[in-house]
Amino acid sequence: MQNNLENFGIDTFGKRQMKKSLPYPIYLKWKNATRKEELLDMETADLIAHAMKEWAMERGATHYTHWFQPLNGKTAKKHEAFLDRTYDNKPIDRFSAKELIKGEPDASSFPTGSMRSTFEARGYTYWDVTSYAFIIDHVFYIPSIFVSYDGKKLDKKLPLLNSLDELSDKATLLYNKISDDKCYRMKVKLGLEQEFFLIDKKIYENRLDLVNTGRTLIGHQAPKDQETTDHYFGSIPQRIIEFYDDVNDQLYKLGIYAKTEHNEAAPNQFEIAVLFENANIAVDNNHLVMEIICTTAKKHGLVCLLHEKPFKGINGSGKHNNYSLVTNYGRNVFEPIGKMEDDKVFLLFTACLVEAVDKGQGMLRYASSDTSNDYRLGGLEAPPAIISIDLGDDIEEVFHNITCKDEDRCFIEHPSLNIQNVNLVQKNMTDRNRTSPFAYTGNKFEFRMLGSSKSASDVNIALNIYFAQAISRVYEKLKDLEGADLDQAIINEIKGILDKHGRILYHNDNYTEVWRKEAAARGLKCYYNFFESIEALIEPENIEAYSKIYTKAEIEAMYEISLENVIKTHRTEAKTLIYMLNKWIIPAAIKQISDNYLVINNSKIDSFVYRNDRLENLLDSLLREKASLEDMLEKSDFETIKDKAEFHQYSINPKMEEIREIHDEMETYISKENYKLYDIQDIYSCLS
């Protein structure tokens, strides 16, 4: 790919293109609409729509689509042609404000948590003026929100936008109260790191479990996994370099700042990271990254796996959510200016985030995960299921000295780093704690719990809601104070937050049993799986916190959809496992046993008899456990959807793990000739 800065963002109708295509007064009206300073009138929207159509068709677009993010966490669209006809039946290309602002996809087939019945099919998409439209494959995409006929939220974008507005309003008030420089708006900036696996398409198509569920349901671990870390940050295979070049070319034309790419720790695992952007655009861009790496992989004879744990026993994939809050003039409240201990903006906003994470720990756990992420959390560089914050040495030192008595103050000695042939190098403020779910990393907080397949909307909605709540509470305490009284009140608020919510701070290894016991003693929440975390949605304090963004009916819908996801995920996996056992595994074992008897009857190898006996016993166990799983899937006497989800979580899923254990030992007794599935070692070796 040849980088030509003139071509950066060439397929996106962003600010640069708007300035070229629109009369300046119209451009200003659009800009004021994004700032919520005035509403777009239809005449202005018509002029914008016409300019969009002309630009899009010049770039080869023939269709447009309202691109939205329904409650299943994916993206959706339907294509509409610019082609229309006049009143006298002549062809014409047409695109007006009406088509730009509003679309009408069917709302009944998307998950709604019973908010919409099948016969109540009408739903509407509305243009999100704060996000940029773009072109992919001759289609002009219009980022949109999605609501029901009666206005209920059916997507993840509108709640994110509302939470960003709520946080901006509250944070602006507090910032202007405690800072010498003033602002009129504050923006959440996100940097999202996307991890994923790539495997050969032919191998993928041979594994029905990967096709149906995104993960291997059976498979003995390979002789060599990631023990030697030779893949991590190693030389990128040529086939993958060509894939990355193709991906980067597409992202470049869309104006997405793809910054970093490298091999991750596990075999066939990779990462791509995008520079910080306004939160709603960053989420849009991440959805595009996920779609582009999946479609581009196919062009290169590969398949991209976004499942958090496609392979047992090696690292899973996350989507690290780097979070900061910035004024419209560029001041990042999480980046201290001058001496940290004197920067009241940094200290107070950081303290408010500590309060937010402690109060919102249940919802953060829920919002960052789903059933597939359960297999990832708790080891191999993934954070555990218990939320905690690691502030690092420097901030903890300052906070300690604020809250302690004078005689207990401490000062950490910070050695300088001297690098050969290089001038003095400043030491970073904090090390990286890979076991911490929520860690300060210089001028931002990195939330590592978020699963790779998840939309980044949910977790940032939760962060915004609880952050805004903490900021609002503090502002109410400070708003009438000035001078020395205000300064002392700020210190008192920081002390109060650390005293009440300091239990969420933890600086050491989050994987240990010591921490699990200590976390329980501190009263921190521990949801061991996604099913348990769903209950956080209906806890009264969380319903109250979310009430500024969601109605009670919308929260109840999220609850029902989440339980349905638990059922559907485990059920699909169980049915796929049974199918694979019937079609491949059991016939392979029978054929191997038949082959074994030929050897036994024609040789005097006693140990081979034992080997065959063991395989027969394993096959007998497999058949019995498979029958048990089939019976369990027939169970239907559940009083509530929660009961059904609980049964699938604690009965169906463990039974599948029992079957896997039997199979994985069986596999070691079956020859490659009889075992028709590609095994785990085949998968790991496919890119070599």
Side-chain angles (χ1 to χ4, degrees), residues 621-630 655 658-659 662:
S621 297
L622 185 75
L623 290 169
R624 283 188 279 105
E625 295 301 332
K626 180 182 78 75
S628 175
L629 180 60
E630 289 169 330
K655 179 60 69 176
E658 290 175 23
I659 291 173
I662 296 168

Side-chain angles (χ1 to χ4, degrees), residues 71 90 92 201 371 407 422 452 490 594 658 681 683:
L71 292 173
K90 292 182 179 179
I92 187 174
K201 186 171 182 284
T371 303
E407 61 269 22
V422 179
S452 56
I490 291 172
S594 177
E658 290 175 23
Q681 186 62 64
I683 296 172

Side-chain angles (χ1 to χ4, degrees), residues 71 107-108 110-120 148 150 152-154 553-562 564 641:
L71 292 173
S108 64
F110 292 105
T112 66
S114 302
M115 285 194 294
R116 307 290 291 159
S117 301
T118 302
F119 68 89
E120 298 174 305
S148 67
D150 52 359
K152 292 186 178 71
K153 300 178 186 71
L154 297 177
E554 289 165 346
I555 293 173
E556 290 171 349
M558 290 162 60
Y559 180 79
E560 182 175 322
I561 290 169
S562 298
E564 286 176 352
I641 188 173

Side-chain angles (χ1 to χ4, degrees), residues 138-323:
H138 308 297
V139 179
F140 182 57
Y141 284 65
I142 304 161
S144 305
I145 64 171
F146 182 42
V147 298
S148 67
Y149 175 76
D150 52 359
K152 292 186 178 71
K153 300 178 186 71
L154 297 177
D155 76 338
K156 295 180 181 295
K157 178 179 265 279
L158 181 55
L160 177 63
L161 292 172
N162 290 345
S163 72
L164 291 168
D165 288 342
E166 175 72 8
L167 177 57
S168 177
D169 291 344
K170 298 299 188 290
T172 299
L173 289 172
L174 181 61
Y175 184 87
N176 288 339
K177 181 63 184 177
I178 67 175
S179 175
D180 293 332
D181 61 304
K182 307 302 178 186
C183 68
Y184 59 83
R185 185 175 66 253
M186 299 191 77
K187 299 179 179 179
V188 173
K189 297 284 186 179
L190 292 183
L192 292 164
E193 306 169 37
Q194 180 69 50
E195 295 175 343
F196 56 97
F197 284 82
L198 291 172
I199 65 170
D200 188 273
K201 186 171 182 284
K202 290 180 180 178
I203 288 180
Y204 170 81
E205 291 172 343
N206 173 260
R207 295 286 310 215
L208 187 66
D209 46 2
L210 287 175
V211 173
N212 282 1
T213 73
R215 74 180 183 103
T216 50
L217 301 175
I218 51 177
H220 191 273
Q221 283 190 240
K224 178 177 177 292
D225 290 325
Q226 62 185 56
E227 298 91 342
T228 59
T229 62
D230 51 338
H231 184 70
Y232 192 39
F233 275 67
S235 178
I236 301 175
Q238 183 60 38
R239 191 176 180 185
I240 307 305
I241 288 176
E242 293 168 3
F243 158 81
Y244 268 131
D245 284 346
D246 196 348
V247 168
N248 287 330
D249 186 49
Q250 295 173 70
L251 296 180
Y252 196 85
K253 290 176 181 177
L254 289 169
I256 297 175
Y257 290 85
K259 182 69 174 175
T260 304
E261 59 195 39
H262 64 84
N263 295 357
E264 258 298 338
N268 298 24
Q269 188 184 30
F270 303 92
E271 180 178 301
I272 187 168
V274 175
L275 288 180
F276 279 73
E277 185 53 271
N278 291 342
N280 65 308
I281 295 177
V283 172
D284 283 355
N285 287 350
N286 181 252
H287 277 293
L288 283 174
V289 166
M290 289 194 288
E291 291 182 18
I292 286 171
I293 61 178
C294 288
T295 56
T296 305
K298 293 177 182 177
K299 296 176 185 176
H300 292 264
L302 302 165
V303 171
C304 176
L305 303 176
L306 293 174
H307 192 287
E308 285 75 14
K309 198 76 167 182
F311 309 109
K312 189 175 182 179
I314 61 174
N315 277 29
S317 294
K319 193 197 310 282
H320 301 165
N321 191 87
N322 294 283
Y323 183 91

Side-chain angles (χ1 to χ4, degrees), residues 649-666:
Q649 180 67 48
Y650 294 116
S651 297
I652 297 286
N653 190 50
K655 179 60 69 176
M656 289 175 58
E657 289 303 309
E658 290 175 23
I659 291 173
R660 177 173 194 149
E661 187 174 342
I662 296 168
H663 164 275
D664 289 359
E665 185 181 351
M666 267 182 60

